[in-house]
Amino acid sequence: MVSSTTEAFKIPGTSWLVRVETPENATISKMHNIQFLKGNHVYHSFTIKKDGDLHQIFDKFIENEQIDIPDNRISAIITALEEAIYVIDKSLKSESKTGALTTMINLSEMKNKKILICGLAGAGKTSIYQVIFEGVNSYELSNLPATRGIQRYKRGINSEEGYNLFVWDLGGQQSYLDEYHKDADKIFPYTTALIYVIDAGDPKNLEKAIEELKWSISQMKTHSPDGMVYSFIHKMDQFPNPQEQFMGIRNLVENSIKQLNKEVGLFPTSIHDDSVFEAWEQIFKSIIPKSKKLNIVADNLKAQTGLYNVLVLEKRTGLPICSSTSLSDDIVIVGTINKLWLSILKLIGDLELVNLDKITVQCENGLLSLEEFVPNIILMLISPSMDSLENQKNRKLIEEFKQEMKKYIN
Ligand SMILES: Nc1nc2c(ncn2[C@@H]2O[C@H](COP(=O)(O)OP(=O)(O)OP(=O)(O)O)[C@@H](O)[C@H]2O)c(=O)[nH]1
Ligand SMILES: [Mg+2]
């Protein structure tokens, strides 16, 4: 039995270290102790409840210390803090034998997923993250700085609360790889999926990339044996014959990892076309299968209203929650629609307008309507005419559909 469980991480760009400590009796008190240190000296120490407000802790710390941390970094640190608490909860679960705690943590296990994106420096990891999750256009990504250490992101999946995807983008420069090799037990546990990115256009580093992949697979086997492993053979857009190139690298990878006895899903990808969405969609499907039940609800709406198509997607992950049949596998549309929404959202911010909640695009043969009917959830309807969206019967049916979705989403 341990007396406490601890997770620590550095605040990037500063000499501060944050330590989250959870005492043995945390199951009863549900308290965490959060400390801010430099070296071994603890400067501040705060106690919070498990569901306490981490923003308050941070505000207090910054005020006490008059420390200058940019706003965007603070949210990343808070995400890392939440992540640390999540990891602690999980490890407490494996040490505890009490029924009540097991039930409590099992719920969070169902709700949270962690994904690691690994690979050598410049492989394209951050670009992939930006394209898939932030809706950034690939041409905006040519000047990305190298990622310093581990960037942790938290994305909601199907609801505002509690159902989160933690994505860790592991900077690939040698000094960081050395650190990961020392700290594997802080990185690999509780990982649902590892995505290992290989730069197909960098043959001189291919061998090293595969060595590192092998190491990552062995860490997954040790720390997250149920986790899945995928590898993106990336930047395929550079080749006149990408399929051939992919097959060549795939054979090499498969031969090299054979003896590790771990299934690895390999995908040819590029941020300049839809392949990266297709690969991600496959991974996402294996993590959280799209609801069959809701697809039927979407199909019913389509049939009853005469709409051409119905789709519900999550803005921050850019992934479909459900869709009517003709769209169910059309990742291209989902990705593009999400980008469209995010681009207009950006524009609206730049123009100092607020609260975009509906977009309607009128075409010669129909109408595209997008609506954020629940925060972060977008309903897309394609209809033959304005009337099919606006007539009384259809309006009622669409409203009922939204209510049905809300039940599921909340
Ligand atoms: N041609 C091509 N270039 C790409 C692709 N994806 C990323 N890149 C480029 O590769 C370079 C490195 O991309 P990053 O995403 O910063 O690489 P990284 O893996 O995050 O690198 P570290 O943070 O140093 O580990 C950038 O200039 C990107 O524009 C792709 O699919 N095709
Ligand atoms: Mg990066």
Side-chain angles (χ1 to χ4, degrees):
M1 200 71 172
V2 288
S3 58
S4 67
T5 312
T6 308
E7 277 287 309
F9 55 90
K10 239 175 100 31
I11 300 185
T14 71
S15 49
W16 288 103
L17 195 75
V18 183
R19 191 155 68 194
V20 183
E21 205 173 39
T22 303
E24 193 186 346
N25 69 356
T27 50
I28 305 154
S29 64
K30 298 192 180 139
M31 299 300 255
H32 292 286
N33 185 17
I34 298 183
Q35 298 168 345
F36 290 85
L37 310 92
K38 274 185 187 171
N40 287 329
H41 184 75
V42 179
Y43 283 78
H44 304 286
S45 179
F46 308 98
T47 304
I48 58 154
K49 281 200 162 234
K50 273 196 176 167
D51 49 3
D53 185 353
L54 292 170
H55 285 269
Q56 266 179 17
I57 295 276
F58 247 85
D59 288 348
K60 222 161 140 188
F61 162 65
I62 288 165
E63 197 184 299
N64 283 342
E65 209 47 48
Q66 298 184 331
I67 192 170
D68 185 21
I69 303 181
D71 279 355
N72 58 0
R73 197 171 289 163
I74 291 172
S75 61
I77 298 164
I78 289 174
T79 301
L81 260 170
E82 286 172 332
E83 176 69 45
I85 289 172
Y86 161 64
V87 168
I88 286 176
D89 283 351
K90 296 270 260 180
S91 60
L92 280 174
K93 177 206 161 196
S94 52
E95 273 151 24
S96 166
K97 299 274 178 284
T98 64
L101 178 70
T102 313
T103 319
M104 184 179 89
I105 307 288
N106 269 347
L107 272 175
S108 81
E109 196 172 18
M110 266 167 46
K111 286 177 171 176
N112 291 313
K113 311 272 174 185
K114 180 171 114 186
I115 292 184
L116 301 181
I117 310 180
C118 304
L120 301 186
K125 301 176 292 294
T126 307
S127 309
I128 292 170
Y129 174 82
Q130 293 288 335
V131 166
I132 295 175
F133 291 96
E134 307 287 348
V136 174
N137 284 314
S138 56
Y139 57 79
E140 292 174 56
L141 291 168
S142 50
N143 291 321
L144 272 180
T147 305
R148 295 165 64 176
I150 302 178
Q151 279 296 317
R152 297 167 164 89
Y153 303 95
K154 186 179 91 177
R155 318 294 305 180
I157 300 178
N158 279 337
S159 79
E160 272 294 281
E161 286 158 34
Y163 197 174
N164 292 309
L165 195 61
F166 293 104
V167 184
W168 290 18
D169 171 6
L170 280 77
Q173 291 188 56
Q174 190 57 48
S175 56
Y176 301 127
L177 296 183
D178 294 342
E179 280 178 34
Y180 310 150
H181 279 251
K182 279 186 253 150
D183 280 343
D185 58 341
K186 291 202 170 58
I187 298 169
F188 288 88
Y190 317 116
T191 300
T192 311
L194 166 84
I195 300 175
Y196 190 89
V197 184
I198 295 178
D199 182 347
D202 187 11
K204 69 177 188 316
N205 280 320
L206 191 55
E207 200 178 317
K208 184 175 175 208
I210 294 176
E211 275 314 303
E212 202 54 34
L213 166 65
K214 280 163 71 176
W215 178 79
S216 307
I217 295 172
S218 65
Q219 296 309 313
M220 284 296 285
K221 285 181 70 171
T222 308
H223 298 290
S224 293
D226 298 332
M228 287 167 283
V229 179
Y230 302 93
S231 181
F232 287 6
I233 312 300
H234 193 54
K235 307 194 188 177
M236 295 310 293
D237 54 279
Q238 303 174 93
F239 303 103
N241 192 342
Q243 190 56 23
E244 203 176 286
Q245 189 72 21
F246 173 63
M247 300 294 262
I249 298 181
R250 188 174 75 177
N251 287 342
L252 201 64
V253 171
E254 282 177 345
N255 281 329
S256 313
I257 61 173
K258 225 174 7 204
Q259 70 276 28
L260 290 173
N261 270 330
K262 174 88 185 171
E263 199 183 318
V264 177
L266 292 154
F267 298 96
T269 54
S270 161
I271 55 166
H272 298 297
D273 56 36
D274 301 312
S275 54
V276 77
F277 288 104
E278 285 170 37
W280 170 241
E281 168 87 0
Q282 293 304 319
I283 295 173
F284 196 79
K285 265 190 198 158
S286 64
I287 300 173
I288 299 136
K290 199 164 63 155
S291 163
K292 281 207 182 84
K293 178 177 165 271
L294 292 181
N295 283 348
I296 296 169
V297 181
D299 254 344
N300 282 346
L301 179 69
K302 177 180 154 168
Q304 286 171 325
T305 52
L307 293 173
Y308 291 147
N309 270 307
V310 176
L311 168 80
V312 179
L313 67 98
E314 209 279 344
K315 190 171 80 183
R316 291 160 307 180
T317 50
L319 289 160
I321 290 167
C322 68
S323 63
S324 49
T325 26
S326 47
L327 271 179
S328 28
D329 278 317
D330 210 331
I331 306 122
V332 181
I333 292 183
V334 176
T336 317
I337 291 289
N338 199 47
K339 256 189 204 170
L340 173 73
W341 184 276
L342 293 174
S343 308
I344 294 181
L345 204 63
K346 257 189 233 163
L347 181 71
I348 290 219
D350 287 347
L351 297 175
E352 295 183 11
L353 296 166
V354 288
N355 291 347
L356 167 69
D357 58 14
K358 199 164 185 173
I359 303 171
T360 312
V361 181
Q362 175 96 51
C363 303
E364 204 172 277
N365 58 342
L367 215 86
L368 166 71
S369 147
L370 301 173
E371 182 187 354
E372 187 167 3
F373 70 106
V374 173
N376 297 309
I377 308 289
I378 297 171
L379 170 66
M380 178 188 95
L381 301 171
I382 301 179
S383 60
S385 65
M386 189 56 103
D387 177 64
S388 30
L389 285 179
E390 297 276 300
N391 74 53
Q392 210 175 357
K393 175 188 138 229
N394 283 0
R395 270 166 72 149
K396 186 163 169 278
L397 289 167
I398 294 168
E399 207 39 56
E400 283 168 6
F401 175 80
K402 289 192 222 167
Q403 294 309 324
E404 181 74 24
M405 286 294 135
K406 279 183 191 168
K407 263 192 256 163
Y408 169 74
I409 291 158
N410 295 319

